[in-house]
Amino acid sequence: MTEAPLRLAVIIGSTREGRVGDRIARWFAGQASGRTDLSVVLVDLAEFAFPPGYPARATPQMSAFAAEVGRADAFAVVTPEYNHSFPASLKQAIDFAYDEWHAKPVGYVSYGCRSAGQHAVDQLRTVFTALHAVSVRDGVGVDLLDGCADLDSRLAGDLPARAAQVLLDQLCWWGRALKAARAAHPFVS
Ligand SMILES: Cc1cc2nc3c(=O)[nH]c(=O)nc-3n(C[C@H](O)[C@H](O)[C@H](O)COP(=O)(O)O)c2cc1C
């Protein structure tokens, strides 16, 4: 029996004007869309009108984001590094869902001017552990130290493509395993 493709949400974490994140996310989504085991949806935080503060009741936009998380079987979080962490826009959105993250795999596509966004990933691993999500080991790191002028041609190389497929393989393995586990047993949180 052929398994239905897993739904992979590629989350664009930066909402900064003039951001690079959407280019990197679209490249990664392109890598994923060539696979038959995944159906890919881009979730762009810049398209949600989130409230400036955390309201007592979820707004329709907050609920729409949580529903998007709930529909997904796996996540690729595309994050820049800001002051050795990840951007506030991403933390704000992550905190709008809770059960919807549980027992699902998360992979990281990070970038920055030093260490390819590794500090941001380290902190996201802690955050997603609190949400009972499973961070996969390998990720994609894009170094922006020399700027973004040749970003598209660098992303078109073999090494980034191979790193993307390794990450996608791990997301698929965990995605299938955890989907079956969620169907067999309600999560224990
Ligand atoms: C507020 C701010 C802080 C930053 N801090 C870091 C940092 O600590 N380490 C790093 O490697 N790059 C840092 N950068 C560079 C960003 O990673 C780089 O500009 C990246 O393109 C930002 O992602 P975005 O364009 O998608 O918003 C910082 C950029 C900004 C705007």
Side-chain angles (χ1 to χ4, degrees):
M1 196 178 76
T2 323
E3 284 183 82
L6 293 173
R7 186 177 171 95
L8 172 71
V10 177
I11 299 176
I12 307 177
S14 172
T15 57
R16 189 178 67 84
E17 206 176 328
R19 66 190 174 169
V20 175
D22 53 343
R23 285 166 67 187
I24 294 175
R26 280 175 220 291
W27 163 79
F28 185 77
Q31 299 294 311
S33 66
R35 298 175 62 120
T36 54
D37 49 2
L38 288 171
S39 73
V40 183
V41 57
L42 265 178
V43 179
D44 186 351
L45 300 185
E47 290 177 359
F48 292 85
F50 290 139
Y54 203 125
R57 274 191 196 186
T59 66
Q61 292 282 290
M62 289 165 66
S63 301
F65 176 75
E68 197 65 81
V69 173
R71 276 192 291 275
D73 301 307
F75 306 96
V77 175
V78 182
T79 184
E81 181 167 314
Y82 286 0
N83 298 316
H84 285 194
S85 186
F86 55 91
S89 52
L90 184 53
K91 184 64 162 65
Q92 184 193 32
I94 289 170
D95 292 345
F96 289 156
Y98 186 62
D99 294 4
E100 295 86 350
W101 295 112
H102 287 6
K104 295 179 182 177
V106 182
Y108 304 103
V109 178
S110 63
Y111 54 99
C113 297
R114 287 181 189 82
S115 76
Q118 198 53 51
H119 295 102
V121 171
D122 290 345
Q123 296 191 11
L124 281 165
R125 286 179 186 278
T126 302
V127 169
F128 277 107
T129 298
L131 292 162
H132 299 285
V134 177
S135 290
V136 304
R137 192 189 73 173
D138 292 286
V140 178
V142 181
D143 185 357
L144 301 180
L145 188 57
D146 294 328
C148 298
D150 64 343
L151 178 63
D152 294 335
S153 63
R154 281 194 287 134
L155 289 175
D158 282 348
L159 276 178
R162 253 183 281 152
Q165 293 307 321
V166 168
L167 170 55
L168 290 164
D169 283 345
Q170 291 174 16
L171 283 171
C172 282
W173 192 93
W174 281 105
R176 266 193 225 107
L178 292 171
K179 189 173 186 178
R182 291 194 309 275
H185 309 283
F187 188 66
V188 290
S189 78

